[in-house]
Amino acid sequence: MKQIIQLTILLLVLAASAYAQPSGETRHLNIRENKIALEGFDPVAYFHTGKAIKGKAAITAQSEGITYHFSSAANRDHFVASPSSFKPQYGGWCAYAMGAKGEKVEVDPETFKIVEGKLYLFYNRFFNNTLDSWNDDEARLKADADKNWSKLIRK
């Protein structure tokens, strides 16, 4: 099991280095060079359908210089009315990793949970679904993730 975890961490580091992160105000957000959030998934759909739905490149909105894709114009309009209501927690990084170690780890946008009206995303690759671990100790991990994220964005 320890070897699997070490291999997973190594693969995460390699995957993360494959993407250049933006600088400035967006440097802590999980976005690519193209500044598209959530790998193109519709942030409103998580809340309105309970599903991860890929947005359309023709239906977009920007918030703080980041582009979001939407599956419908109605979802885009909901987002534009209140962007902060739909943006993922911890800049779109894995909530479990932020809570467990204060680290920015890539996510699978289709592995998510809505908690108290907030969107949390999780890593789910290589036989490691961190949503399961999050669910085992959500209260502590969420409290730790909130503290770790606050420290991270002040740097």
Side-chain angles (χ1 to χ4, degrees):
M1 182 65 175
K2 186 176 181 180
Q3 291 175 333
I4 292 173
I5 293 170
Q6 289 172 336
L7 177 60
T8 300
I9 291 170
L10 174 63
L11 291 171
L12 288 172
V13 170
L14 292 173
S17 66
Y19 298 104
Q21 286 296 309
S23 59
E25 294 178 17
T26 60
R27 75 180 186 273
H28 292 298
L29 303 180
N30 186 5
I31 55 174
R32 307 296 186 264
E33 289 178 357
N34 59 10
K35 293 193 175 185
I36 294 176
L38 297 167
E39 297 181 30
F41 280 80
D42 180 338
V44 177
Y46 290 105
F47 295 89
H48 289 182
T49 67
K51 298 178 183 175
I53 298 174
K54 196 77 165 165
K56 299 174 184 173
I59 307 173
T60 65
Q62 288 204 349
S63 176
E64 299 176 21
I66 308 303
T67 301
Y68 294 83
H69 290 185
F70 302 91
S71 57
S72 71
N75 281 5
R76 179 195 56 213
D77 295 345
H78 284 294
F79 180 84
V80 169
S82 182
S84 62
S85 298
F86 300 104
K87 291 180 181 179
Q89 299 301 291
Y90 317 124
W93 299 105
C94 176
Y96 172 80
M98 190 58 62
K101 295 190 177 192
E103 295 176 351
K104 296 182 202 176
V105 171
E106 292 294 330
V107 298
D108 172 357
E110 295 182 83
T111 306
F112 70 96
K113 185 173 185 178
I114 305 291
V115 179
E116 298 176 359
K118 303 289 183 184
L119 174 62
Y120 296 85
L121 301 170
F122 299 91
Y123 176 86
N124 185 6
R125 293 181 188 106
F126 306 110
F127 310 106
N128 184 12
N129 183 345
T130 61
L131 175 57
D132 295 335
S133 300
W134 173 270
N135 286 335
D136 289 342
D137 196 8
E138 182 174 86
R140 182 188 63 79
L141 287 164
K142 183 182 175 312
D144 289 349
D146 290 345
K147 289 177 197 170
N148 291 337
W149 180 248
S150 181
K151 289 178 195 174
L152 186 76
I153 61 174
R154 286 190 299 230
K155 290 181 182 179

